[in-house]
Amino acid sequence: MDRFIRRLPEKIEKHPVRSVFCAAVFLTLFMELLSRRSLWSLLVFVGTRPHIFLYNVCIVLWTFSLLLLVKRRLFWGTVISVVWMILGIADFVLLSFRVTPFNGADLRLTKDAVLVAGKYLQWWHVVLMAAAIVGLAVLFVFLFRKLPRSRRKISYLKSGIFIIFSLLALFGANSVATAAGIFSAQFGNLAEAYQDYGFSYCFANSLVNTGIKRPEDYSTETVQEIKDEEIVPESHGTSPLVLEEEPDVVNETGIAVTEQTPNIIFLQLESFSDPMKYLQIECSEDPIPNYRKLMEQYSSGYLSVPSVGAGTANTEFEVITGMNLDFFGPGEYPYKTVLQKEVCESLCFDLKEMGYHAHAIHNNSGTFYDRYTVFSQLGFDTFTSLEYMSDYETTYMGWAKDKVLTEQIGTVLDSTTGADMIYTISVQGHGAYPEEQVIESPDVTVTGLADEGSTNAMEYYIQQIHEMDEFVGELVSYLKNRGEETILVMYGDHLPSLGLTEENLENGNLYQTEYVIWDNIGLTKTERNIEAYQLGAYVLGKAGIQKGTMFRYHQSYLEESVHTKDEKESYLEDMKILEYDILYGEQDVFEGDMPYEATDLHMGVKTIAVSQVLNQGEGLYVTGWNFTPSSVIYVNGKACETNSVSENLLYTSDFELDEGENKIEVSQVSSDNIVLSTSDAYVLEK
């Protein structure tokens, strides 16, 4: 081994270009093989698209050019090689759970990925990963000590110039290839793009290509032309929802509303779909009878969503904002990029101008996808996350069951006067779906799959959506009995990660789920397939509401059910201009001045308060209101290990009191230890 390590640097230094080129070719082949999961597919790619394959090699090769700046070239060359191999392996592993390949956006989701990793990985997976990390660390230490430094003198100026110019050459070649139609900078289907253009190119593209690029014909004049010709006038009242003879009512915000304004509730159902349309299986009974009956009686159709197997927040973004994610960077999550700092027009802001209150509900952690901060940028007034819920059941995989949401929706409706817009995000149908039998007697059994593991996974998934369907039935019944005028919009956010293909779907489309619009105000039943970014406009249009830039733009397009190819292309081109203008441009659509400000988002709708604190020596008892299992006692700013006895009582034995006054507070803390809200302080004398 020592002899090999001594002689290897000599061979590499003798033929450095050949050595790194061979390494780049090997790494590219390795990553493409893992990405395609097929040797034949790899051979076809290399044989039919050699120019694209070589461009991918050049991207890897450029990373080795950084070795010109260091003496320990062999060591850092090994590190670079290992990094590329890890990226390829990560892509291979992720494709086992979802359709979307590993991309730059995943690096921004590291914290969220850690939170859900336990749902997907078994204990031995974690052990293997830990062993691999330790093994790599030991290997790197060994190589760092054993591999010699280069004897050549480093010319930092020449090396830096070469690195910069080679990078510019890569960008230049990419620009020429994109202009010639060889490459594409926008990936409508990320999975297909990785197959067409290669892993290295697509992954690198996803790292640097974020946001919406400035459209070539973007200008104040163009935006004004779109406003004048393609956006329907703002109005409310083309439907019988608002009666002129009804007197205005002023809610607590001071905005005049009418008693006829309906509540509008969006219910985004995690991984919800219709298994009866999976051609490869047969179900013992209808898994979703309530949802199917609603689709038969109310407006419904297919909803085109931006992802498969994952990406809940992106479907959410399209529905709330009316914006098309195709114009953003590959695999980008706007929640993690532009919405970290920019306010965006949304259903919330638009409906609040009519006196609505805007609420979000999610039976999962409030920090997931940074919703606890991003929702203020979208105009929500309150956000009730799992940390503010009690008495909920969980699935085998640990996700909260959706039936808890009926009570939460009722609580929100009770919390205000006037109309409410509620965006509810469910979680019960979330993967992973275990291949071992964890449900002894599922309500719906499945036949037709090739092996027992696939059958168990499918039956587990169907059990979850069967229970979600029962929740849908209960929610509709509750809203009927409540008697308030209501529109309830329900849809799946994406298909589940169960290895589905277009060939075994009745509709032949992996990017479609079913939606239904229930109401108790007599809306006309229609059937239409729409995009997720059109859903809000479609619902508002049915209710006679024409508000918001993007929504009125879509309503203008949706007035006609059939469009020519040129009309659709023009629609998409102008949509991109509007999205760019609102989020990245001069905001000419608002006359150059964004009319919306981020809200002071209130976590939960029930006030969490401390009424009394009792010091019993070995234990501290805190009484109050609306405590949950996520409530944590803080003594003088220090978190104490807390036992949640009930919604009115907390207990801790892990505390220290100072002499004199002590400040006792109760905070709602997420599973990743982020404080979401804190009660008023109670002063306790020792």
Side-chain angles (χ1 to χ4, degrees):
M1 182 69 176
D2 286 344
R3 182 181 178 186
F4 173 77
I5 292 176
R6 286 195 304 271
R7 297 187 61 183
L8 183 61
E10 298 174 3
K11 293 183 178 181
I12 291 177
E13 288 215 9
K14 189 175 182 181
H15 306 285
V17 176
R18 185 179 68 182
S19 298
V20 294
F21 180 77
C22 289
V25 171
F26 168 78
L27 289 170
T28 304
L29 289 170
F30 175 80
M31 291 182 291
E32 292 299 332
L33 178 61
L34 292 183
S35 178
R36 297 166 194 280
R37 310 169 92 85
S38 165
L39 179 59
W40 174 249
S41 177
L42 171 61
L43 294 175
V44 169
F45 174 64
V46 175
T48 60
R49 299 191 171 194
H51 52 301
I52 294 179
F53 172 76
L54 286 175
Y55 189 83
N56 279 267
V57 171
C58 288
I59 291 174
V60 177
L61 190 60
W62 179 83
T63 61
F64 283 110
S65 70
L66 300 175
L67 300 178
L68 295 172
L69 299 174
V70 296
K71 284 281 190 179
R72 295 184 178 273
R73 292 173 181 172
L74 196 54
F75 170 76
W76 287 110
T78 303
V79 172
I80 291 173
S81 299
V82 169
V83 169
W84 279 114
M85 294 175 72
I86 289 174
L87 293 177
I89 294 170
D91 181 56
F92 179 83
V93 172
L94 282 178
L95 287 175
S96 300
F97 300 109
R98 70 186 198 190
V99 174
T100 305
F102 184 55
N103 59 83
D106 290 310
L107 299 179
R108 303 182 188 96
L109 296 174
T110 303
K111 179 190 66 141
D112 304 295
V114 171
L115 289 177
V116 302
K119 315 287 187 183
Y120 291 89
L121 303 178
Q122 298 183 30
W123 66 268
W124 57 272
H125 290 142
V126 178
V127 171
L128 284 177
M129 290 174 61
I133 292 172
V134 172
L136 276 177
V138 172
L139 176 64
F140 284 154
V141 170
F142 173 77
L143 293 177
F144 186 83
R145 297 180 61 183
K146 290 292 184 179
L147 292 176
R149 295 168 175 261
S150 172
R151 294 188 294 271
R152 297 182 181 182
K153 184 179 180 181
I154 298 176
S155 173
Y156 291 103
L157 178 61
K158 291 181 180 179
S159 297
I161 292 174
F162 175 80
I163 291 170
I164 292 172
F165 272 88
S166 59
L167 181 61
L168 292 175
L170 274 177
F171 278 110
N174 178 63
S175 297
V176 172
T178 301
I182 298 173
F183 284 131
S184 174
Q186 295 294 333
F187 305 147
N189 185 318
L190 198 59
E192 291 180 0
Y194 271 66
Q195 298 300 301
D196 291 339
Y197 307 124
F199 176 84
S200 303
Y201 171 74
C202 291
F203 183 81
N205 195 303
S206 70
L207 286 175
V208 300
N209 184 9
T210 60
I212 303 174
K213 298 298 180 284
R214 181 187 176 96
E216 292 183 3
D217 53 350
Y218 172 71
S219 67
T220 300
E221 293 73 24
T222 303
V223 174
Q224 188 62 48
E225 184 178 333
I226 295 172
K227 284 180 63 177
D228 293 341
E229 299 180 6
E230 301 179 50
I231 298 179
V232 299
E234 185 172 300
S235 70
H236 176 213
T238 58
S239 80
L241 298 183
V242 181
L243 306 180
E244 293 183 1
E245 61 268 21
E246 288 288 344
D248 283 341
V249 176
V250 177
N251 66 14
E252 60 265 36
T253 66
I255 299 176
V257 299
T258 69
E259 293 181 354
Q260 303 301 314
T261 308
N263 297 315
I264 301 177
I265 303 173
F266 287 84
L267 176 55
Q268 182 169 290
L269 296 162
E270 172 64 46
S271 300
F272 191 85
S273 64
D274 183 1
M276 301 290 280
K277 295 181 180 179
Y278 297 176
L279 300 180
Q280 81 276 36
I281 68 169
E282 290 187 10
C283 300
S284 60
E285 62 180 81
D286 188 351
I288 55 170
N290 293 308
Y291 200 85
R292 193 177 312 285
K293 184 177 180 181
L294 291 172
M295 290 186 68
E296 292 170 354
Q297 296 177 344
Y298 297 91
S299 297
S300 62
Y302 281 113
L303 184 72
S304 294
V305 295
S307 58
V308 180
T312 295
N314 277 351
T315 301
E316 193 175 308
F317 171 80
E318 287 202 344
V319 175
I320 294 173
T321 65
M323 292 190 174
N324 185 348
L325 271 165
D326 286 350
F327 306 133
F328 288 79
E332 182 175 355
Y333 286 83
Y335 279 17
K336 290 290 187 176
T337 54
V338 62
L339 290 186
Q340 291 286 321
K341 56 184 182 299
E342 296 293 338
V343 172
C344 182
E345 184 183 33
S346 67
L347 283 168
C348 304
F349 284 122
D350 295 332
L351 288 174
K352 283 165 67 174
E353 291 180 358
M354 296 171 54
Y356 277 79
H357 298 267
H359 314 270
I361 303 173
H362 185 29
N363 54 334
N364 195 22
S365 175
T367 62
F368 206 56
Y369 288 118
D370 289 347
R371 288 186 178 97
Y372 75 112
T373 57
V374 168
F375 277 171
S376 66
Q377 307 286 64
L378 292 172
F380 285 100
D381 298 313
T382 71
F383 177 26
T384 304
S385 61
L386 188 65
E387 290 84 0
Y388 297 83
M389 302 180 191
S390 298
D391 300 325
Y392 53 83
E393 298 178 15
T394 60
T395 67
Y396 174 82
M397 297 303 296
W399 304 110
K401 292 192 174 184
D402 289 345
K403 63 182 181 180
V404 70
L405 295 173
T406 300
E407 178 186 351
Q408 298 302 321
I409 290 173
T411 299
V412 168
L413 291 172
D414 290 339
S415 69
T416 66
T417 60
D420 294 288
M421 196 288 283
I422 306 176
Y423 200 93
T424 309
I425 309 148
S426 95
V427 78
Q428 182 171 350
H430 206 297
Y433 311 110
E435 295 191 352
E436 65 272 20
Q437 187 174 12
V438 297
I439 302 175
E440 292 186 4
S441 301
D443 293 331
V444 181
T445 56
V446 168
T447 56
L449 293 174
D451 57 82
E452 184 179 354
S454 299
T455 301
N456 288 336
M458 183 65 74
E459 288 185 343
Y460 176 87
Y461 164 72
I462 290 178
Q463 180 68 30
Q464 304 316 313
I465 64 167
H466 181 63
E467 293 180 11
M468 292 165 70
D469 180 75
E470 292 176 344
F471 150 64
V472 166
E474 293 170 359
L475 176 60
V476 170
S477 178
Y478 169 79
L479 294 174
K480 283 181 180 178
N481 293 332
R482 188 178 178 91
E484 296 182 31
E485 293 187 335
T486 302
I487 299 173
L488 173 63
V489 189
M490 296 174 283
Y491 57 93
D493 58 351
H494 52 70
L495 293 184
S497 54
L498 283 167
L500 299 173
T501 63
E502 293 179 347
E503 290 73 23
N504 53 42
L505 291 175
E506 183 180 291
N507 60 317
N509 192 328
L510 287 168
Y511 291 86
Q512 284 185 335
T513 63
E514 295 85 7
Y515 77 89
V516 61
I517 305 171
W518 173 87
D519 71 275
N520 60 1
I521 55 179
L523 296 182
T524 302
K525 181 185 185 313
T526 55
E527 292 186 12
R528 185 168 187 175
N529 300 337
I530 56 177
E531 302 281 345
Y533 54 78
Q534 296 172 332
L535 181 61
Y538 187 59
V539 172
L540 295 185
K542 292 182 75 66
I545 300 173
Q546 295 173 345
K547 294 286 292 183
T549 304
M550 296 306 303
F551 304 109
R552 289 186 290 128
Y553 177 75
H554 296 313
Q555 286 171 346
S556 178
Y557 183 78
L558 292 172
E559 286 179 351
E560 301 292 333
S561 57
V562 179
H563 299 88
T564 65
K565 181 180 179 181
D566 289 343
E567 287 173 339
K568 184 173 183 179
E569 288 179 354
S570 177
Y571 168 66
L572 292 172
E573 289 170 1
D574 290 347
M575 189 194 313
K576 181 177 181 180
I577 290 172
L578 289 176
E579 291 185 25
Y580 176 84
D581 182 64
I582 292 171
L583 287 176
Y584 302 94
E586 302 301 320
Q587 298 173 341
D588 291 318
V589 75
F590 304 126
E591 308 300 332
D593 185 20
M594 170 63 78
Y596 309 109
E597 294 182 359
T599 58
D600 182 13
L601 184 67
H602 190 276
M603 295 299 296
V605 294
K606 290 183 176 180
T607 301
I608 296 174
V610 176
S611 61
Q612 189 175 10
V613 178
L614 299 176
N615 178 15
Q616 298 296 318
E618 294 183 357
L620 197 69
Y621 293 86
V622 178
T623 61
W625 299 276
N626 304 315
F627 300 146
T628 75
S630 296
S631 298
V632 175
I633 299 171
Y634 277 72
V635 176
N636 298 322
K638 179 181 177 182
C640 305
E641 186 174 342
T642 303
N643 180 23
S644 177
V645 181
S646 71
E647 66 175 13
N648 302 113
L649 179 62
L650 302 174
Y651 169 80
T652 182
S653 58
D654 172 36
F655 71 100
E656 291 183 7
L657 296 178
D658 297 334
E659 293 296 331
E661 292 186 349
N662 292 271
K663 185 172 69 173
I664 313 298
E665 299 167 306
V666 172
S667 296
Q668 301 304 109
V669 182
S670 67
S671 56
D672 52 341
N673 293 318
I674 292 178
V675 175
L676 300 175
S677 66
T678 300
S679 70
D680 291 337
Y682 182 97
V683 177
L684 178 68
E685 296 281 348
K686 182 177 179 182

